[in-house]
Amino acid sequence: MDFVKELRWRGMLHDMMPGTDDLLNNGVTAGYIGFDPTADSLHVGSLAQIMTLIHFQRAGHKPVALVGGATGMVGDPSGKSAERNLLSEDVLQKNLAGIQAQLEKFLDFDSGENSAIVVNNYDWFKDFSFLNFIRDVGKHITVNYMMAKDSVKNRLSGDTGMSFTEFTYQLVQGYDFYYLWKHHNCSLQMGGSDQWGNIVTGTELIRRKDAGEAYALTTKLIKKADGTKFGKSEGGNIWLDPEKTSPYKFYQFWLNTSDEDAKSYIRIFTLFDETTINGLETEHDAAPHMRTLQKALAKDITIRVHGENAYDKSIKSSDFLFGNVGIEFLNELNDEEILGLFEGVPHFEVDQSDLADGINIIELLATKTAIFSSKGEARKMVQAGGVAINKTKAASAEQMITSNDLINNRYIVPQKGKKNYFLISVK
């Protein structure tokens, strides 16, 4: 497999330095990508770079994932309009541990010569004094060179300016590349196209400091066809951590992509070959309403990130809300999964004592909760057959709800019509 050709047909390649092809064709190459530890989980925006490392390893090369224990304390100004908050060491260590565990799910760390490794730049910066850094690193890169970078020029021309801390970021990242080149024989740095300036600073430092050769390759930044930011939902980032974004919500994020985006994402985020993807596109175009591309995309990514069991539950969850899966399905879910399934659904709490002797359905829906604004409205809807409790149509306005109706000994699921769900939990 040819790494550059693979990125090119998938629409991922943005730019690379001359000679990169020759480097990759001359044997196993070590190449790295840096991951920013601003949270204890990566999000789907990081998946493009993870996929780059996966393709790199599949092409026979050695992937190096760098987690920025040191650079996370500084903050990369690339693409930023303001300086971000610096992280405490305790928070940073928690974030690093979470990210490393996620990276280890995607890369092969036991494949011989091209086994993946994870490195933390704090390991080589923690004992590097300021005086030694400016003497051994800073003297090789001129201020003129640093000022010419777009990430610097854009900030200097803006209202917020740039702190010295951020200004030195490209030197710190450049030294990362130098260290990995020197100690891990790492000749290639990869990243998103917004990282080009920082990456090239590293190649320049290697050249000026040790007369060495190193190379840069960048991938396209992922954008949605409608111009909105990729990787965001109404609730914020779509995380890889199931505790931050439930597998069901993760699955739905991919399932709900537009046709145009699905054609792009299925190339970037799956390992399907070109023939398979072309076949899926043909099938999709013949019957777009079947959402063939979206289903294949969502299935592949959900399984690789969360596993087969989480995917199966996501399918059943979707069928529960929009299909014919019965209430008994909820007994297969734990509290976190139930709350994830009903995320965004109006949620009410009642006391255990309310159910001890049973509570009238109208009382529950209009007094103990605000599912209906009045008892009269609730009664009218129940009598018209428009209310269900736990997916069973309410029998009458005199129906009593007891602890026997609880799912997992804690939840009741009312419906107003077919699509309006509510969740009641007992405290």
Side-chain angles (χ1 to χ4, degrees), residues 51-63:
M51 293 304 300
T52 301
L53 287 180
I54 291 172
H55 292 308
F56 192 67
Q57 187 169 43
R58 291 175 69 230
H61 301 295
K62 184 179 184 66

Side-chain angles (χ1 to χ4, degrees), residues 9 23 40 63 86 108 158 197 201 203 255 280 284 415 426:
W9 81 256
L23 170 75
D40 59 359
L86 305 184
D108 189 343
T201 297
T203 65
L255 189 66
L280 288 168
H284 179 93
Q415 281 172 270
V426 173

Side-chain angles (χ1 to χ4, degrees), residues 6-234:
E6 187 76 8
L7 294 188
R8 188 170 278 128
W9 81 256
R10 290 182 181 275
M12 297 173 69
L13 185 65
H14 184 267
D15 205 356
M16 63 180 182
M17 287 180 63
T20 303
D21 255 338
D22 293 336
L23 170 75
L24 295 171
N25 289 332
N26 283 336
V28 177
T29 299
Y32 91 94
I33 292 177
F35 293 88
D36 190 359
T38 49
D40 59 359
S41 171
L42 298 172
H43 50 77
V44 294
S46 312
L47 268 179
Q49 297 310 319
I50 293 174
M51 293 304 300
T52 301
L53 287 180
I54 291 172
H55 292 308
F56 192 67
Q57 187 169 43
R58 291 175 69 230
H61 301 295
K62 184 179 184 66
V64 178
L66 182 148
V67 287
T71 41
M73 293 180 171
V74 179
D76 182 3
S78 301
K80 310 291 191 306
S81 60
E83 185 167 1
R84 73 182 181 201
N85 294 329
L86 305 184
L87 302 174
S88 70
E89 188 160 351
D90 286 346
V91 170
L92 191 61
Q93 290 305 317
K94 179 175 180 287
N95 293 355
L96 291 169
I99 290 172
Q100 180 162 339
Q102 288 177 341
L103 289 171
E104 289 173 353
K105 291 173 60 177
F106 294 97
L107 300 169
D108 189 343
F109 289 79
D110 187 22
S111 58
E113 190 179 9
N114 73 326
S115 295
I117 60 171
V118 175
V119 295
N120 179 355
N121 60 10
Y122 184 72
D123 292 339
W124 54 85
F125 272 114
K126 62 185 176 183
D127 297 320
F128 206 163
S129 74
F130 175 73
L131 289 177
N132 284 338
F133 183 78
I134 59 175
R135 184 191 67 186
D136 295 343
V137 179
K139 70 178 183 179
H140 294 288
I141 303 294
T142 67
V143 171
N144 303 47
Y145 181 89
M146 296 171 70
M147 294 276 285
K149 301 297 183 185
D150 286 341
S151 59
V152 174
K153 288 193 294 186
N154 292 341
R155 285 292 296 279
L156 290 178
S157 62
D159 296 331
T160 59
M162 173 180 270
S163 70
F164 176 75
T165 304
E166 285 189 304
F167 181 64
T168 58
Y169 185 91
Q170 63 176 291
L171 276 184
V172 175
Q173 184 171 328
Y175 184 77
D176 282 342
F177 198 176
Y178 173 81
Y179 184 92
L180 293 175
W181 175 82
K182 187 85 171 175
H183 297 279
H184 292 277
N185 196 30
C186 190
S187 301
L188 177 66
Q189 185 181 169
M190 299 166 283
S193 58
D194 60 338
Q195 289 295 307
W196 181 260
N198 290 339
I199 295 174
V200 171
T201 297
T203 65
E204 190 68 7
L205 180 62
I206 290 167
R207 184 183 70 80
R208 294 186 185 188
K209 187 170 170 58
D210 274 13
E213 288 187 354
Y215 298 86
L217 182 150
T218 57
T219 53
K220 295 177 182 177
L221 296 181
I222 311 300
K223 295 180 180 179
K224 294 174 71 173
D226 63 6
T228 58
K229 189 170 182 178
F230 169 75
K232 297 278 189 179
S233 71
E234 291 181 5

Side-chain angles (χ1 to χ4, degrees), residues 350-351 353-372 374-380 382-383 387 389 394-403 405 412 414 424:
V350 298
D351 290 323
S353 59
D354 292 328
L355 299 177
D357 298 320
I359 183 172
N360 176 264
I361 187 172
I362 305 301
E363 182 78 10
L364 177 66
L365 299 178
T367 302
K368 293 297 183 180
T369 67
I371 293 173
F372 288 93
S374 70
K375 289 184 178 181
E377 182 189 3
R379 187 180 304 278
K380 184 177 179 180
V382 169
Q383 290 172 341
V387 173
I389 299 294
S396 73
E398 284 69 48
Q399 181 175 339
M400 300 297 288
I401 308 299
T402 71
S403 55
D405 294 300
I412 298 170
I424 300 174

